[in-house]
Amino acid sequence: SVTTTSGVLFLRWYRLSRRSYCLIMVSRFKKNRKHRGDVQAGHGRVGKHRKHPGGRGNAGGQHHHRTHFDKYHPGYFGKVGMRNFHLRRNPRFCPTINVDRVWTLVTEQHRKAYEKRTDKAPVIDAFAAGYFKVLGSGVIPKQPFILRTKFVSRKAEEKIRAAGGAVELVA
């Protein structure tokens, strides 16, 4: 609650629901109490207090409120540019990783478990790790593996095949 220097209470807590409250002004201190007995209550005789003399909301933005819209909201009306009917937010989102960093996507124990085996090769899923394209920079160990990815460069695919591996493209 808010009090004045004389200790008079101006605001009171009003309960909106079980948990929420708001402060409301006490009726006896509202300006309307002072206007009791005045016929127009501060709104004048000539230009009377009517409901919505300028229209409701943003009415008249291009007509009788044009100067206000032009001054305080320039560029509110009209269009700019071309329409894009099928807007895709990330058509060029393509995180990349180099082929020499591909083995960091699996653990060292996982790599060593498949090091001596010739019947099976480990599957490294670059797409699941968040990389869409594998590029061909660097050298890789001569250990075969299967790489799952969306895109792969020519040099990266050559290096993987030279190591005895394969590339599996996923959508």
Side-chain angles (χ1 to χ4, degrees), residues 15-167:
R15 188 175 186 173
L16 296 171
S17 64
R18 212 174 75 195
R19 289 195 196 122
S20 63
Y21 294 84
C22 73
L23 281 170
I24 60 164
M25 180 101 176
V26 181
S27 295
R28 67 182 184 274
F29 293 116
K30 290 196 174 182
K31 189 167 67 173
N32 191 50
R33 300 307 312 156
K34 296 282 188 184
H35 287 304
R36 289 296 185 206
D38 298 348
V39 175
Q40 304 302 332
H43 290 294
R45 284 182 190 273
V46 181
K48 298 161 195 67
H49 185 218
R50 295 285 164 84
K51 300 272 180 149
H52 298 277
R56 293 175 191 248
N58 287 336
Q62 291 182 304
H63 305 288
H64 55 285
H65 290 156
R66 178 184 286 268
T67 53
H68 179 272
F69 271 74
D70 289 347
K71 183 174 182 181
Y72 297 108
H73 310 284
Y76 180 80
F77 296 106
K79 301 174 184 178
V80 173
M82 296 183 296
R83 294 181 66 184
N84 189 351
F85 291 113
H86 187 91
L87 181 65
R88 291 163 298 167
R89 294 287 180 193
N90 56 353
R92 287 178 294 281
F93 179 75
C94 189
T96 59
I97 185 171
N98 278 315
V99 75
D100 59 347
R101 301 267 306 148
V102 162
W103 276 109
T104 62
L105 302 179
V106 292
T107 60
E108 188 67 24
Q109 294 89 352
H110 192 74
R111 187 183 75 78
K112 287 189 172 159
Y114 285 96
E115 203 168 25
K116 303 279 187 273
R117 297 181 69 167
T118 56
D119 58 332
K120 279 189 176 179
V123 176
I124 301 175
D125 199 341
F127 180 63
Y131 298 102
F132 286 9
K133 185 168 185 176
V134 178
L135 303 175
S137 177
V139 291
I140 57 173
K142 296 280 183 220
Q143 182 178 346
F145 64 94
I146 299 165
L147 177 72
R148 297 184 80 234
T149 182
K150 275 180 88 167
F151 309 106
V152 64
S153 70
R154 180 183 49 79
K155 276 175 65 176
E157 192 169 9
E158 287 171 2
K159 289 181 181 181
I160 292 167
R161 291 202 194 288
V167 176

